[in-house]
Amino acid sequence: MKLLLISNSTNYKEKYLGWCLPLIEDFLKNERKNILFFPYAGINIGGQPYPKSYDAYAERIKGIFEPLGFTVQSTHQAICPVDAVNRADVLMVGGGNTFHLFAEIHQEGLIEPVRRKVMEGTPFVGWSAGANVACPRLCTTNDMPVVMPPSFNGFDLVPFQINPHYIDPFSEAVNDAIRHGGETRQVRLEEFLAVNPQITVAGLREASALWIENERITLKGDNAMRIMRFNQKPQEVETGAVFDFGINLLNNSCYD
Amino acid sequence: MKLLLISNSTNYKEKYLGWCLPLIEDFLKNERKNILFFPYAGINIGGQPYPKSYDAYAERIKGIFEPLGFTVQSTHQAICPVDAVNRADVLMVGGGNTFHLFAEIHQEGLIEPVRRKVMEGTPFVGWSAGANVACPRLCTTNDMPVVMPPSFNGFDLVPFQINPHYIDPFSEAVNDAIRHGGETRQVRLEEFLAVNPQITVAGLREASALWIENERITLKGDNAMRIMRFNQKPQEVETGAVFDFGINLLNNSCYD
């Protein structure tokens, strides 16, 4: 199994897929070139509301990957998306609204076909919502539930939950500027753990990603990751850390 | 029908129910005194994870309202919550996690009993998640989907969606301090409107509330409200504005 699960497409004030494109290229460098792209999280792309947003999203991805020697087909343009999954060399799931992504993947009957294809060795690349959907459940998204999916079940390719775009509490100065009483990300994830105490959460900060190959998980990118478990002190691990699928460290990259 | 739908319990650095308690007292001043409290959004209250959090939440609310001459029963302590709804003088729904609130309300079979009771004239007070659940659907919450409710349907007491804790985009200075690429509230709500173009969203900023009586809606509190519709310029309305149920202004309080 070969997965690249990326926190975010775009760092603050950088271009789309700017920071992570070299990582994706490296991940795919020895792979065959036919990408199947899942645009279902993109419901308002470049001023194009759903469903035209799918066309805009697919064009954007083609514009990035075709010059690199890949071909890109989008599931929404396939006559039979399940057939397209079975024929693809690479599966790529873009970010956007996670609820809409789950809704469409279930409605198209893609959970089992994708899961089987990835288990058979086809590389999977997902960012943001596309990383979340590789997890057991939808439950650790930051997105707004603009539609109700038939199920919160994801592709279940890893046994833990990723929180993409993980963000630390704001500084006192920022809070004094905002003056907002809403929950922090920590409070939200503690709520998740209070009702799902058996599941580990990987808080994947922006500009970081999990490179998963042969049951080894390596933290890539520029930022530490925060591992959260119910009733335990969170653990901070640095870039280069290697884990097993239970998010147990296999090297000494923990610094907190 | 008599509803008080409050954006937030607690302003930044203020005490719990600080800003809105006088408003709730005013709203209930001529009402009978037996409050039925719904604690289901409270899944991690005062260091008490679910389900003990319900006890902690009920105690907190009793500590605030009993000194004011009310009695408070919590639905989670009722032998039959539906009977408790039928006997209550006031229905009060606290904030917290909106998904958990919806899950429990559906599992207890409370949607129709509450809806009927409110339609018959029993006052309803809700803040944050408790304001969201008065809307047709769950879809405009900011919360994390820590559980999947059986349905996204709410009490459907108003025909529009409230976004509680509505927040404006951060200033350039704040963004430069945070350096986060995640979506703004505006982007999220535009996604909601892209897939639900027929529904109006009331962006209810903190320290504001909707006082609804006899099909008239009045904006209370200290902040303007932002009305958002698909493909239309958002409208800002000031405190004191009066609307009908279609969120059409009945006075001249629009300033943008």
Side-chain angles (χ1 to χ4, degrees):
Chain A
M1 199 163 60
K2 194 170 167 184
L3 315 172
L4 184 63
L5 306 180
I6 300 169
S7 176
N8 63 316
S9 62
T10 315
N11 287 341
Y12 180 61
K13 290 198 171 172
E14 291 180 8
K15 70 176 181 181
Y16 189 71
L17 291 185
W19 80 273
C20 59
L21 190 57
L23 189 63
I24 298 173
E25 281 191 82
D26 189 24
F27 183 75
L28 297 178
K29 68 174 182 283
N30 297 320
E31 303 295 336
R32 286 182 298 173
K33 300 298 179 197
N34 294 310
I35 293 173
L36 180 66
F37 179 67
F38 297 69
Y40 301 130
I43 51 178
N44 212 8
I45 299 274
Q48 297 270 61
Y50 170 78
K52 282 188 182 172
S53 54
Y54 290 171
D55 295 333
Y57 206 176
E59 285 309 305
R60 180 190 287 179
I61 297 305
K62 283 179 193 182
I64 293 169
F65 286 94
E66 289 189 348
L68 301 174
F70 293 91
T71 66
V72 179
Q73 184 189 17
S74 180
T75 52
H76 84 288
Q77 289 161 337
I79 293 169
C80 174
V82 172
D83 280 353
V85 167
N86 290 335
R87 284 194 311 268
D89 297 330
V90 175
L91 303 176
M92 183 176 283
V93 185
N97 185 285
T98 312
F99 290 87
H100 206 268
L101 172 63
F102 274 65
E104 294 277 75
I105 278 174
H106 280 279
Q107 276 152 21
E108 297 288 351
L110 292 174
I111 291 282
E112 284 311 315
V114 167
R115 185 172 161 75
R116 190 186 61 242
K117 194 72 166 33
V118 175
M119 291 293 180
E120 289 169 0
T122 300
F124 177 102
V125 178
W127 55 87
S128 192
N132 199 148
V133 77
C135 301
R137 310 262 291 152
L138 178 149
C139 301
T140 49
T141 179
N142 315 304
D143 295 339
M144 190 167 273
V146 300
V147 292
M148 180 168 175
S151 164
F152 276 13
N153 290 342
F155 293 134
D156 196 17
L157 303 170
V158 293
F160 53 88
Q161 287 291 136
I162 291 171
N163 176 240
H165 301 270
Y166 179 78
I167 184 168
D168 293 291
F170 296 149
S171 68
E172 184 83 1
V174 166
N175 277 327
D176 283 344
I178 301 172
R179 301 188 62 77
H180 191 67
E183 291 93 342
T184 63
R185 185 68 56 84
Q186 277 66 14
V187 168
R188 299 178 190 283
L189 290 169
E190 284 164 10
E191 288 180 346
F192 171 79
L193 292 170
V195 292
N196 302 277
Q198 76 287 9
I199 305 181
T200 298
V201 175
L204 201 56
R205 290 184 176 85
E206 295 195 337
S208 62
L210 298 177
W211 180 307
I212 301 175
E213 207 168 350
N214 303 327
E215 311 232 330
R216 274 169 66 96
I217 304 176
T218 307
L219 179 60
K220 299 280 189 176
D222 297 331
N223 277 318
M225 185 172 84
R226 191 171 180 87
I227 300 169
M228 290 160 277
R229 294 186 171 96
F230 181 65
N231 257 353
Q232 292 185 27
K233 187 168 171 282
Q235 194 182 9
E236 289 280 338
V237 292
E238 59 192 356
T239 299
V242 178
F243 318 90
D244 65 15
F245 266 40
I247 309 283
N248 303 300
L249 267 174
L250 300 178
N251 60 1
N252 288 321
S253 300
C254 178
Y255 57 77
D256 191 11
Chain B
M1 198 162 63
K2 194 170 167 182
L3 315 171
L4 184 62
L5 305 179
I6 301 168
S7 175
N8 64 315
S9 62
T10 315
N11 287 341
Y12 180 61
K13 291 197 170 173
E14 291 182 5
K15 69 176 181 181
Y16 190 70
L17 292 185
W19 81 272
C20 59
L21 190 57
L23 190 63
I24 298 173
E25 281 190 82
D26 189 25
F27 184 74
L28 297 178
K29 69 172 183 281
N30 298 319
E31 303 295 336
R32 287 181 297 172
K33 300 298 180 196
N34 295 310
I35 293 172
L36 180 66
F37 179 67
F38 296 70
Y40 302 130
I43 52 177
N44 213 7
I45 298 275
Q48 298 270 62
Y50 169 78
K52 283 189 181 170
S53 55
Y54 290 171
D55 296 334
Y57 207 176
E59 285 310 306
R60 180 190 285 178
I61 298 304
K62 283 178 191 181
I64 293 170
F65 285 94
E66 288 188 348
L68 302 174
F70 293 92
T71 66
V72 178
Q73 183 189 17
S74 179
T75 52
H76 84 289
Q77 290 161 336
I79 295 169
C80 175
V82 172
D83 280 354
V85 167
N86 290 335
R87 285 194 311 269
D89 296 331
V90 175
L91 302 176
M92 183 177 284
V93 185
N97 186 285
T98 312
F99 290 88
H100 206 268
L101 173 64
F102 273 67
E104 294 278 75
I105 279 174
H106 279 280
Q107 276 153 22
E108 296 288 352
L110 292 174
I111 290 282
E112 284 311 316
V114 166
R115 185 172 161 76
R116 191 186 60 243
K117 194 72 165 39
V118 175
M119 291 291 179
E120 288 168 0
T122 300
F124 178 103
V125 177
W127 54 88
S128 193
N132 200 149
V133 76
C135 300
R137 309 263 293 152
L138 180 148
C139 301
T140 49
T141 180
N142 314 304
D143 295 339
M144 190 168 273
V146 300
V147 292
M148 180 168 174
S151 163
F152 277 13
N153 289 342
F155 294 134
D156 197 18
L157 302 171
V158 294
F160 52 89
Q161 287 292 135
I162 291 171
N163 176 241
H165 302 268
Y166 180 79
I167 184 166
D168 293 290
F170 297 148
S171 69
E172 186 83 0
V174 166
N175 277 328
D176 283 344
I178 302 172
R179 300 188 61 78
H180 192 69
E183 291 93 342
T184 62
R185 186 68 55 84
Q186 277 66 13
V187 168
R188 298 178 192 283
L189 290 169
E190 283 163 11
E191 287 181 347
F192 171 79
L193 291 170
V195 291
N196 303 276
Q198 77 288 7
I199 304 181
T200 299
V201 175
L204 201 55
R205 290 184 177 85
E206 295 196 336
S208 62
L210 297 177
W211 179 307
I212 302 176
E213 206 168 350
N214 303 326
E215 310 230 332
R216 274 169 67 97
I217 303 176
T218 307
L219 179 61
K220 298 279 188 177
D222 296 332
N223 277 318
M225 184 171 86
R226 192 170 179 89
I227 300 169
M228 290 160 277
R229 295 185 170 97
F230 181 65
N231 257 351
Q232 292 186 27
K233 187 170 171 282
Q235 195 181 6
E236 290 280 340
V237 292
E238 60 193 357
T239 301
V242 178
F243 317 91
D244 65 16
F245 265 41
I247 309 282
N248 302 301
L249 266 176
L250 300 178
N251 61 1
N252 288 321
S253 301
C254 178
Y255 59 77
D256 191 11

